[in-house]
Amino acid sequence: MAISTGDGAVDALYLHTASADNALVVSTFGIYLHAAFVSLTLGFPLAILAWLIEWYRTGDGLYLKYAKTLTAVWAVNFALGVVTGTVVEFGLLDIWPTSILLFSSSGFVPLFYEATIAFIGEAVLVGLFVMAVGRWRARYTLSILLAAWALGSLSGYFILTVNAWMNVPWGVGGIPRALYPFLPTYGPDAANLTSALTLAALVMNHTLAGAGSAALANVNFTQAVGPFFADPWLPLANPDAISTTVHTLLAAYAVGVGAVALALSARYLRTRDEKYLKLLKPLLWIMAVVVLAQPISGHFMGEDVVAYQPLKFTASVALTGGQAVYGYSFNDPIEALFAYGNPNHPIYGFQYYLQQCGALGNATFGQLYRQLDPQALGYLGPLANATLAQNCEAAVLSLEPLAPLVSAMYYTMVGSGILLAIAALLVLLTYLVRAPVLSAIADFINFKLLGRLLGKDNVLPFLASAMAVLSAVAASAGWAAREVGRQPWTVYGLFTTNEVVTSVDVTPGFAAFVVLVLAAIAALGAAAMYYTATRPGLIDKLRGSHE
């Protein structure tokens, strides 16, 4: 993926091996699959909540009937989320074994609380709600549902906190900046410098031999490194964790509720039964609120990229910057306004970062370690003679070929988000609330323009379907831009992908086998959810009742 620097030792850190590329395919497919089920797990309770409130308010049994059916689908989906989550978790440890360092240090507190409080609590409450819906008093039923949804969201916060730390390693202070001068300082200095340097030397040295993860197999590894992160609570205070959590959870809610809205719209268009529009309208309130809140949370998430991941930001604007993105700097008033609050602020190109690397001069890794951690000098191997500038330049050059892809995903997310917001406003101002002038404009677009094109009765299901599809597209593209843009690092400024991948060769055949297994799980899971969704009385039969 990367441009060769000509230094074999440095290239070994940044040029993806075939094994690393195959491992990325497996992990990418698994994570997207799990994310799809999790999005439904987080969105379905909101749809159920909306229908139960309508049932309690109006007494119309239609809402209770579909709330119970969706509850059964939610339970099946929750089980599938557990299955895919377990596969992904084991996959992370098997394919990226160096991740154990993350799980046992900066990721320990959030993952511990995710497993022992959020996930277990959510599982118990989902089971309790299945038993309670339609049977217990409203205040009990709704309380259980809201608590299950809140714990599911809390689980998302803990997991996203770990991902946020991989993007913004809060608490390692100025260590990344010592190797890459264009990076900022990441919070307080909670990392033990000697341990961090020893760890880096061990992992880098083994990377030259094939894979950095082999360092963990050394019986003296733990003794040599020791604890390197002093405050495991710091990741919870990571500023990127808050913005990432809010924005990602909003996206998950939109995808989950959108899936239900899409199904109802499709049923209406097929049968012309008005009950599907009746069921759809309460969900549109949730969709509109969630969708219109996303640009705000997305802006704060973008500010974090500008502040803490400057290379990713440059890659993100590659399509609008053109060839200038590979130069020193260029002007893009719109991006500069959103990024810096100043349309005249220059946006730095890759040449700027290479020039920053040059400021490291001719200092070598060996000189740096002789000064800071002489005991780890022996672990560096051939890297001892590589200059810090070469290492820094290799990191910058690694992302250049990926910049068009990162940018395409970024602008797909932005474009989908804009269309999504327009669709949400058209639904809100015509079908949910009335506002002077604005509703008249929305009515004109919906009935005079879209109505003439699609048919007046089809406008609402069309807008609901568009919101559902665009939510999924925006979420998928945004996550791709986030994760691909993190290259060449797994933990930004600290560990490269080659340093984390397993030392066991991940062949194309193995990768294809795992993808097929995951695809089979997804197909069977989708079939199970469809079967449950088309059996309205299933939950009552399972409970031995016939309400």
Short mmCIF file of all heavy atoms in Angstrom, two decimals, residues 476-515:
data_model
loop_
_atom_site.label_atom_id
_atom_site.label_comp_id
_atom_site.label_asym_id
_atom_site.label_seq_id
_atom_site.Cartn_x
_atom_site.Cartn_y
_atom_site.Cartn_z
N SER A 476 -21.61 3.81 7.01
CA SER A 476 -20.57 2.91 6.49
C SER A 476 -19.38 3.68 5.92
O SER A 476 -18.22 3.35 6.19
CB SER A 476 -21.17 2.02 5.38
OG SER A 476 -22.26 1.28 5.87
N ALA A 477 -19.68 4.73 5.15
CA ALA A 477 -18.60 5.51 4.55
C ALA A 477 -17.80 6.27 5.61
O ALA A 477 -16.57 6.36 5.54
CB ALA A 477 -19.18 6.48 3.52
N GLY A 478 -18.51 6.81 6.59
CA GLY A 478 -17.83 7.56 7.65
C GLY A 478 -16.88 6.68 8.44
O GLY A 478 -15.76 7.09 8.78
N TRP A 479 -17.32 5.45 8.74
CA TRP A 479 -16.46 4.56 9.52
C TRP A 479 -15.25 4.13 8.68
O TRP A 479 -14.14 3.99 9.19
CB TRP A 479 -17.24 3.32 9.98
CG TRP A 479 -16.52 2.56 11.04
CD1 TRP A 479 -15.82 1.40 10.91
CD2 TRP A 479 -16.37 2.94 12.42
NE1 TRP A 479 -15.26 1.01 12.10
CE2 TRP A 479 -15.58 1.95 13.05
CE3 TRP A 479 -16.83 4.02 13.17
CZ2 TRP A 479 -15.25 2.01 14.41
CZ3 TRP A 479 -16.49 4.08 14.52
CH2 TRP A 479 -15.72 3.08 15.11
N ALA A 480 -15.46 3.93 7.36
CA ALA A 480 -14.34 3.57 6.48
C ALA A 480 -13.30 4.69 6.44
O ALA A 480 -12.09 4.44 6.53
CB ALA A 480 -14.85 3.26 5.08
N ALA A 481 -13.77 5.93 6.32
CA ALA A 481 -12.84 7.07 6.31
C ALA A 481 -12.07 7.15 7.63
O ALA A 481 -10.87 7.43 7.64
CB ALA A 481 -13.61 8.37 6.07
N ARG A 482 -12.76 6.87 8.73
CA ARG A 482 -12.12 6.93 10.05
C ARG A 482 -11.03 5.87 10.18
O ARG A 482 -9.92 6.16 10.64
CB ARG A 482 -13.20 6.72 11.13
CG ARG A 482 -12.66 6.65 12.56
CD ARG A 482 -13.83 6.45 13.53
NE ARG A 482 -13.39 6.29 14.91
CZ ARG A 482 -13.10 7.27 15.74
NH1 ARG A 482 -13.17 8.50 15.31
NH2 ARG A 482 -12.72 7.04 16.98
N GLU A 483 -11.34 4.65 9.79
CA GLU A 483 -10.40 3.55 10.03
C GLU A 483 -9.29 3.49 8.98
O GLU A 483 -8.12 3.26 9.32
CB GLU A 483 -11.16 2.23 10.08
CG GLU A 483 -12.12 2.14 11.25
CD GLU A 483 -11.42 2.34 12.59
OE1 GLU A 483 -10.76 1.41 13.08
OE2 GLU A 483 -11.50 3.46 13.14
N VAL A 484 -9.61 3.70 7.70
CA VAL A 484 -8.56 3.71 6.67
C VAL A 484 -7.65 4.92 6.89
O VAL A 484 -6.43 4.83 6.73
CB VAL A 484 -9.16 3.73 5.26
CG1 VAL A 484 -8.06 3.80 4.21
CG2 VAL A 484 -10.02 2.49 5.02
N GLY A 485 -8.26 6.03 7.29
CA GLY A 485 -7.46 7.24 7.51
C GLY A 485 -6.51 7.13 8.69
O GLY A 485 -5.62 7.96 8.85
N ARG A 486 -6.71 6.12 9.56
CA ARG A 486 -5.81 5.92 10.70
C ARG A 486 -4.49 5.31 10.27
O ARG A 486 -3.52 5.30 11.04
CB ARG A 486 -6.50 5.03 11.73
CG ARG A 486 -5.85 5.05 13.09
CD ARG A 486 -6.69 4.26 14.07
NE ARG A 486 -6.79 2.85 13.73
CZ ARG A 486 -7.71 2.03 14.22
NH1 ARG A 486 -8.61 2.50 15.04
NH2 ARG A 486 -7.73 0.76 13.89
N GLN A 487 -4.45 4.75 9.07
CA GLN A 487 -3.19 4.17 8.59
C GLN A 487 -2.11 5.25 8.52
O GLN A 487 -2.42 6.40 8.29
CB GLN A 487 -3.41 3.54 7.21
CG GLN A 487 -4.30 2.30 7.24
CD GLN A 487 -3.67 1.17 8.02
OE1 GLN A 487 -2.47 0.94 7.90
NE2 GLN A 487 -4.46 0.48 8.82
N PRO A 488 -0.84 4.87 8.69
CA PRO A 488 -0.30 3.52 8.76
C PRO A 488 -0.32 2.91 10.16
O PRO A 488 0.31 1.89 10.37
CB PRO A 488 1.14 3.74 8.31
CG PRO A 488 1.49 5.09 8.86
CD PRO A 488 0.23 5.90 8.72
N TRP A 489 -1.03 3.60 11.08
CA TRP A 489 -0.98 3.13 12.47
C TRP A 489 -2.23 2.37 12.86
O TRP A 489 -3.34 2.65 12.37
CB TRP A 489 -0.82 4.32 13.42
CG TRP A 489 0.45 5.08 13.21
CD1 TRP A 489 1.72 4.65 13.51
CD2 TRP A 489 0.59 6.40 12.68
NE1 TRP A 489 2.63 5.63 13.19
CE2 TRP A 489 1.98 6.71 12.68
CE3 TRP A 489 -0.30 7.35 12.20
CZ2 TRP A 489 2.47 7.92 12.21
CZ3 TRP A 489 0.18 8.55 11.74
CH2 TRP A 489 1.56 8.83 11.75
N THR A 490 -2.06 1.43 13.80
CA THR A 490 -3.20 0.83 14.48
C THR A 490 -3.55 1.69 15.68
O THR A 490 -4.72 1.97 15.94
CB THR A 490 -2.86 -0.61 14.93
OG1 THR A 490 -2.71 -1.41 13.77
CG2 THR A 490 -3.96 -1.17 15.80
N VAL A 491 -2.55 2.10 16.44
CA VAL A 491 -2.72 3.11 17.47
C VAL A 491 -1.96 4.34 16.99
O VAL A 491 -0.74 4.28 16.77
CB VAL A 491 -2.18 2.65 18.84
CG1 VAL A 491 -2.33 3.78 19.87
CG2 VAL A 491 -2.92 1.40 19.31
N TYR A 492 -2.68 5.43 16.81
CA TYR A 492 -2.16 6.59 16.09
C TYR A 492 -0.83 7.10 16.67
O TYR A 492 -0.73 7.47 17.85
CB TYR A 492 -3.17 7.73 16.12
CG TYR A 492 -3.10 8.63 14.91
CD1 TYR A 492 -3.63 8.22 13.70
CD2 TYR A 492 -2.50 9.88 14.98
CE1 TYR A 492 -3.56 9.03 12.58
CE2 TYR A 492 -2.43 10.71 13.87
CZ TYR A 492 -2.97 10.27 12.67
OH TYR A 492 -2.89 11.07 11.56
N GLY A 493 0.21 7.07 15.83
CA GLY A 493 1.52 7.58 16.23
C GLY A 493 2.32 6.64 17.09
O GLY A 493 3.43 6.98 17.52
N LEU A 494 1.77 5.43 17.39
CA LEU A 494 2.48 4.52 18.29
C LEU A 494 2.80 3.17 17.65
O LEU A 494 3.95 2.74 17.64
CB LEU A 494 1.65 4.29 19.56
CG LEU A 494 1.52 5.47 20.52
CD1 LEU A 494 0.63 5.10 21.70
CD2 LEU A 494 2.89 5.92 21.02
N PHE A 495 1.78 2.47 17.13
CA PHE A 495 1.99 1.14 16.57
C PHE A 495 1.48 1.08 15.14
O PHE A 495 0.35 1.51 14.86
CB PHE A 495 1.26 0.05 17.39
CG PHE A 495 1.81 -0.13 18.76
CD1 PHE A 495 1.08 0.29 19.86
CD2 PHE A 495 3.05 -0.70 18.97
CE1 PHE A 495 1.58 0.13 21.14
CE2 PHE A 495 3.57 -0.85 20.24
CZ PHE A 495 2.83 -0.43 21.34
N THR A 496 2.30 0.53 14.24
CA THR A 496 1.85 0.36 12.86
C THR A 496 1.09 -0.96 12.73
O THR A 496 1.12 -1.82 13.62
CB THR A 496 3.04 0.34 11.89
OG1 THR A 496 3.83 -0.83 12.14
CG2 THR A 496 3.89 1.58 12.05
N THR A 497 0.40 -1.12 11.61
CA THR A 497 -0.39 -2.33 11.37
C THR A 497 0.50 -3.57 11.37
O THR A 497 0.15 -4.61 11.91
CB THR A 497 -1.13 -2.21 10.03
OG1 THR A 497 -1.94 -1.04 10.07
CG2 THR A 497 -2.02 -3.41 9.78
N ASN A 498 1.67 -3.47 10.74
CA ASN A 498 2.59 -4.62 10.68
C ASN A 498 3.08 -5.03 12.06
O ASN A 498 3.45 -6.19 12.27
CB ASN A 498 3.80 -4.29 9.81
CG ASN A 498 3.48 -4.42 8.34
OD1 ASN A 498 2.40 -4.86 7.97
ND2 ASN A 498 4.43 -4.04 7.49
N GLU A 499 3.10 -4.10 12.99
CA GLU A 499 3.58 -4.40 14.34
C GLU A 499 2.53 -5.14 15.17
O GLU A 499 2.83 -5.64 16.26
CB GLU A 499 3.98 -3.11 15.06
CG GLU A 499 5.25 -2.47 14.48
CD GLU A 499 5.54 -1.12 15.08
OE1 GLU A 499 4.59 -0.42 15.48
OE2 GLU A 499 6.72 -0.76 15.16
N VAL A 500 1.31 -5.17 14.69
CA VAL A 500 0.22 -5.74 15.48
C VAL A 500 -0.27 -7.08 14.92
O VAL A 500 -0.80 -7.91 15.64
CB VAL A 500 -0.96 -4.73 15.54
CG1 VAL A 500 -2.10 -5.26 16.37
CG2 VAL A 500 -0.47 -3.41 16.11
N VAL A 501 -0.06 -7.30 13.61
CA VAL A 501 -0.62 -8.50 12.97
C VAL A 501 0.07 -9.77 13.47
O VAL A 501 1.22 -9.74 13.94
CB VAL A 501 -0.49 -8.39 11.43
CG1 VAL A 501 0.96 -8.57 10.98
CG2 VAL A 501 -1.39 -9.40 10.73
N THR A 502 -0.65 -10.89 13.39
CA THR A 502 -0.12 -12.16 13.86
C THR A 502 1.11 -12.59 13.05
O THR A 502 1.24 -12.26 11.87
CB THR A 502 -1.20 -13.27 13.76
OG1 THR A 502 -0.62 -14.51 14.13
CG2 THR A 502 -1.74 -13.39 12.34
N SER A 503 1.99 -13.35 13.71
CA SER A 503 3.16 -13.87 13.01
C SER A 503 2.81 -15.10 12.18
O SER A 503 3.61 -15.56 11.37
CB SER A 503 4.26 -14.22 14.02
OG SER A 503 3.77 -15.13 14.98
N VAL A 504 1.60 -15.64 12.41
CA VAL A 504 1.12 -16.77 11.58
C VAL A 504 0.61 -16.21 10.26
O VAL A 504 -0.14 -15.22 10.24
CB VAL A 504 -0.01 -17.54 12.30
CG1 VAL A 504 -0.54 -18.67 11.43
CG2 VAL A 504 0.49 -18.07 13.63
N ASP A 505 0.99 -16.82 9.15
CA ASP A 505 0.62 -16.30 7.84
C ASP A 505 -0.89 -16.37 7.62
O ASP A 505 -1.48 -17.45 7.73
CB ASP A 505 1.35 -17.12 6.75
CG ASP A 505 1.26 -16.44 5.40
OD1 ASP A 505 1.05 -15.21 5.36
OD2 ASP A 505 1.41 -17.15 4.38
N VAL A 506 -1.52 -15.25 7.35
CA VAL A 506 -2.94 -15.21 7.01
C VAL A 506 -3.05 -15.29 5.49
O VAL A 506 -2.80 -14.32 4.78
CB VAL A 506 -3.61 -13.92 7.53
CG1 VAL A 506 -5.10 -13.92 7.18
CG2 VAL A 506 -3.41 -13.78 9.03
N THR A 507 -3.39 -16.46 4.99
CA THR A 507 -3.40 -16.68 3.54
C THR A 507 -4.72 -16.20 2.93
O THR A 507 -5.74 -16.06 3.64
CB THR A 507 -3.23 -18.17 3.23
OG1 THR A 507 -4.38 -18.87 3.75
CG2 THR A 507 -1.96 -18.73 3.86
N PRO A 508 -4.76 -16.00 1.61
CA PRO A 508 -6.04 -15.64 0.96
C PRO A 508 -7.11 -16.70 1.17
O PRO A 508 -8.29 -16.38 1.33
CB PRO A 508 -5.64 -15.53 -0.53
CG PRO A 508 -4.18 -15.21 -0.51
CD PRO A 508 -3.63 -15.94 0.67
N GLY A 509 -6.69 -17.99 1.18
CA GLY A 509 -7.66 -19.06 1.40
C GLY A 509 -8.28 -19.00 2.77
O GLY A 509 -9.50 -19.17 2.93
N PHE A 510 -7.45 -18.73 3.79
CA PHE A 510 -7.98 -18.61 5.15
C PHE A 510 -8.92 -17.42 5.26
O PHE A 510 -10.01 -17.52 5.86
CB PHE A 510 -6.83 -18.46 6.15
CG PHE A 510 -7.28 -18.21 7.56
CD1 PHE A 510 -7.74 -19.26 8.35
CD2 PHE A 510 -7.26 -16.93 8.09
CE1 PHE A 510 -8.17 -19.03 9.65
CE2 PHE A 510 -7.70 -16.69 9.38
CZ PHE A 510 -8.15 -17.74 10.17
N ALA A 511 -8.50 -16.30 4.66
CA ALA A 511 -9.34 -15.11 4.71
C ALA A 511 -10.69 -15.36 4.04
O ALA A 511 -11.75 -14.99 4.57
CB ALA A 511 -8.63 -13.93 4.04
N ALA A 512 -10.66 -16.04 2.89
CA ALA A 512 -11.91 -16.34 2.17
C ALA A 512 -12.79 -17.26 3.00
O ALA A 512 -14.03 -17.09 3.05
CB ALA A 512 -11.59 -16.97 0.82
N PHE A 513 -12.18 -18.24 3.68
CA PHE A 513 -12.95 -19.17 4.51
C PHE A 513 -13.66 -18.44 5.65
O PHE A 513 -14.86 -18.64 5.89
CB PHE A 513 -12.02 -20.25 5.08
CG PHE A 513 -12.67 -21.14 6.09
CD1 PHE A 513 -13.58 -22.12 5.70
CD2 PHE A 513 -12.39 -21.00 7.44
CE1 PHE A 513 -14.19 -22.94 6.64
CE2 PHE A 513 -13.00 -21.81 8.39
CZ PHE A 513 -13.90 -22.79 7.99
N VAL A 514 -12.93 -17.57 6.33
CA VAL A 514 -13.54 -16.84 7.45
C VAL A 514 -14.66 -15.93 6.96
O VAL A 514 -15.73 -15.84 7.58
CB VAL A 514 -12.46 -16.02 8.20
CG1 VAL A 514 -13.11 -15.16 9.30
CG2 VAL A 514 -11.42 -16.95 8.82
N VAL A 515 -14.42 -15.26 5.83
CA VAL A 515 -15.46 -14.37 5.28
C VAL A 515 -16.71 -15.18 4.93
O VAL A 515 -17.85 -14.74 5.19
CB VAL A 515 -14.92 -13.62 4.05
CG1 VAL A 515 -16.05 -12.94 3.29
CG2 VAL A 515 -13.89 -12.58 4.48
#
